[in-house]
Amino acid sequence: MNIEYRRNGDYLVPNIELNQPPPLGKYGRMRRTFLKENCPVLYNHLLLSGKLYPHLAEIDQAAKQRLEQMMLALTQAAGATEELKARDPMQWTGRMNACKAQAEEMIRNELIYS
């Protein structure tokens, strides 16, 4: 392995870069916080084995997909249609917010806090 150095004043400093993974989304960060606060043994095991970030990224992706699927079903059941949006935007917004809150609560219980 050939390490290159750069001069910094009188010292030679190795050119080392950390591979930064892409930033986590909302659900990945929530899962990390949950693991850190409530499951420190599992958190440390995943962190030290290098499996923490892939786990968090998988949870984040699964949660986003699940939210998308659930929102379609919940908005149809709640009657939040484009017609309602045109006729009464405030009622449509209320129904959409209720659907999103319901979907996010289920995601938190199923994926984040389990």
Side-chain angles (χ1 to χ4, degrees):
M1 187 162 94
N2 188 13
I3 299 176
E4 294 184 21
Y5 295 87
R6 68 180 185 279
R7 184 165 295 280
N8 188 358
D10 291 337
Y11 300 100
L12 291 175
V13 180
N15 291 331
I16 298 175
E17 293 182 15
L18 292 175
N19 292 334
Q20 293 289 341
L24 290 172
K26 172 184 176 179
Y27 302 106
R29 291 189 313 267
M30 288 172 68
R31 177 70 174 170
R32 180 180 58 204
T33 302
F34 172 76
L35 289 175
K36 192 182 270 189
E37 293 175 357
N38 299 297
C39 306
V41 174
L42 177 59
Y43 175 80
N44 286 326
H45 173 70
L46 290 171
L47 180 64
L48 295 173
S49 66
K51 297 178 183 175
L52 179 63
Y53 183 79
H55 171 74
L56 297 175
E58 180 182 347
I59 292 290
D60 190 59
Q61 182 181 16
K64 287 177 184 176
Q65 289 174 350
R66 184 95 168 102
L67 178 67
E68 201 172 295
Q69 293 169 351
M70 291 171 65
M71 282 299 290
L72 288 174
L74 290 172
T75 54
Q76 288 175 354
T81 62
E82 289 296 318
E83 177 188 327
L84 179 63
K85 184 178 181 181
R87 186 172 30 92
D88 191 355
M90 291 301 288
Q91 186 177 10
W92 178 85
T93 303
R95 289 184 185 186
M96 290 298 287
N97 287 341
C99 291
K100 185 161 186 183
Q102 184 179 1
E104 285 189 337
E105 183 177 350
M106 287 192 278
I107 288 170
R108 282 192 303 269
N109 291 333
E110 292 174 5
L111 296 173
I112 307 299
Y113 303 139
S114 61

